[in-house]
């Protein structure tokens, strides 16, 4: 967790705060969802996968 916040600080040196935070939150949300599906056998429903794909698409757009 400390590493994640530290890397957010590094990213904010070159990115606007809003963009850096949005990417940080998006990556965390995707990581948490995937972690839950892999480790805890949470269902990989169509709605969940589509939602994760939309987050990824938003992250890609914000990094252009």
């Amino acid at each position: 967790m400390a590493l994640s916040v530290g890397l957010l600080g590094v990213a904010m040196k070159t990115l606007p705060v809003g963009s850096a935070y949005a990417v940080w939150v998006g990556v965390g949300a995707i990581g948490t969802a995937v972690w839950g599906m892999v480790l805890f056998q949470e269902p990989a429903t169509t709605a969940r996968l589509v939602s994760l794909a939309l987050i990824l698409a938003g992250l890609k757009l914000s990094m252009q």
Side-chain angles (χ1 to χ4, degrees), residues 1-37:
M1 209 167 153
L3 176 65
S4 176
V5 173
L7 291 173
L8 173 63
V10 171
M12 288 188 342
K13 291 180 181 178
T14 56
L15 294 172
V17 172
S19 297
Y21 185 71
V23 170
W24 185 68
V25 169
V27 169
I30 290 171
T32 301
V34 170
W35 194 253
M37 287 185 281

